[in-house]
Amino acid sequence: MRASSKARAIALTGYFGLWLLLSLWYSWLAPSTQLPMYIPLGFLLIPLVFPFAGLIQGKPYTYMWSSYLSLLYFAHGIGEAYTLPNERIYGIIEIILSLMFFFGSIYYVRLS
């Protein structure tokens, strides 16, 4: 397996991991008691829809700009891990997945 393929696999693992984590987190694991479920899910999942086609097709330009998008999820994970002790593990997993997405995307672009 080429190095660029490994980097792409890491980026896609982080990307789809964020989809899965956020969907489960805000709908089943720890739903918000103050907001309807569709509000946090909408704000967190809709930005992940935009790079989907380019990531699946392996377009380096999409990997480049979506790496900046992953930093928003990194910041969200830091905030959630710091402020909510009961949900800290979900924030830490979000941090790890967003870093996988970021570094996998950067290395994929560099190696392509």
Side-chain angles (χ1 to χ4, degrees), residues 67 93 109:
S67 66
I93 294 170
V109 170

Side-chain angles (χ1 to χ4, degrees), residues 56-76:
I56 296 299
Q57 294 171 1
K59 295 183 178 181
Y61 182 75
T62 304
Y63 280 85
M64 184 176 57
W65 69 261
S66 67
S67 66
Y68 296 114
L69 180 67
S70 71
L71 296 177
L72 295 173
Y73 294 97
F74 176 76
H76 178 260

Side-chain angles (χ1 to χ4, degrees), residues 29-88:
L29 296 172
S32 176
T33 58
Q34 301 163 346
L35 295 172
M37 183 186 341
Y38 65 88
I39 292 177
L41 284 176
F43 278 110
L44 292 171
L45 293 180
I46 288 175
L48 287 175
V49 171
F50 296 116
F52 179 76
L55 292 175
I56 296 299
Q57 294 171 1
K59 295 183 178 181
Y61 182 75
T62 304
Y63 280 85
M64 184 176 57
W65 69 261
S66 67
S67 66
Y68 296 114
L69 180 67
S70 71
L71 296 177
L72 295 173
Y73 294 97
F74 176 76
H76 178 260
I78 293 287
E80 295 291 322
Y82 182 74
T83 59
L84 300 172
N86 295 336
E87 300 175 23
R88 183 164 289 147

Side-chain angles (χ1 to χ4, degrees), residues 11-28:
L12 289 176
T13 301
Y15 175 76
F16 287 115
L18 282 172
W19 266 102
L20 182 64
L21 173 71
L22 294 171
S23 298
L24 290 175
W25 183 358
Y26 288 103
S27 64
W28 183 57

